[in-house]
Amino acid sequence: MALLEILRYPDSRLRNRAKPVDTIDAETRQLVDDMFETMYKASGIGLAAIQVNSTKRLLVLDISEQRDDPLCLINPEILSKEGESKEEEGCLSVPGIYEPVKRATHILVKALDRDGNSIELELEGLPAVCVQHEIDHLDGKLFIDHLSRLKSTRIRKKLEKEARQADD
């Protein structure tokens, strides 16, 4: 397994749209394994392939305390949404920023698992929020896109300044 580089906002590659995975082969499974390793090392609970500069339409997540309940969703599609809540979100690609975002509280999602089996999951609470957040990434969106223009502009400028200072 290998640690992958997590792209950081405002990197334009985060705006790419993921392409459906046609074949789940050894390369795809290796990407999934590498994404889990990268996510765990970064203390994240979810990671989309776009965040590690892959255009494959897949995501991984594990919200368990023991980090022993990994879930891989390939070609995920939300079939239905219910309810609404506003919870604070953060993102490995937007480090140090946490803001409340409106999301559905219950979702039904269809996807393929790591082995190519078709699955449907009813999710609520944090798992539902996490899947919606990661699917946004696959569509080239970030959680800050759900914020006001003023707030997202402030965040972009702050992170650009931090990136410039790190380069000096």
Side-chain angles (χ1 to χ4, degrees), residues 94-112:
V94 189
I97 306 294
Y98 301 90
E99 292 289 337
V101 175
K102 269 190 216 174
R103 301 273 188 192
T105 55
H106 297 77
I107 63 169
L108 176 63
V109 65
K110 175 177 93 171
L112 301 175

Side-chain angles (χ1 to χ4, degrees), residues 45-64:
I45 60 171
L47 189 65
I50 288 292
Q51 292 177 271
V52 293
N53 201 28
S54 168
T55 57
K56 291 188 180 206
R57 192 162 185 84
L58 68 88
L59 63 90
V60 298
L61 62 118
D62 187 345
I63 61 163
S64 66

Side-chain angles (χ1 to χ4, degrees), residues 79-139:
L79 301 177
S80 65
K81 296 179 181 186
E82 291 180 21
E84 185 178 274
S85 72
K86 196 171 190 176
E87 303 294 331
E88 191 170 78
E89 291 186 25
C91 181
L92 295 174
S93 291
V94 189
I97 306 294
Y98 301 90
E99 292 289 337
V101 175
K102 269 190 216 174
R103 301 273 188 192
T105 55
H106 297 77
I107 63 169
L108 176 63
V109 65
K110 175 177 93 171
L112 301 175
D113 68 12
R114 184 182 183 279
D115 299 315
N117 301 310
S118 183
I119 56 173
E120 270 191 25
L121 301 170
E122 286 186 44
L123 302 171
E124 63 181 333
L126 185 57
V129 167
C130 189
V131 167
Q132 291 170 84
H133 178 109
E134 301 308 332
I135 287 177
D136 271 0
H137 276 298
L138 298 177
D139 293 334

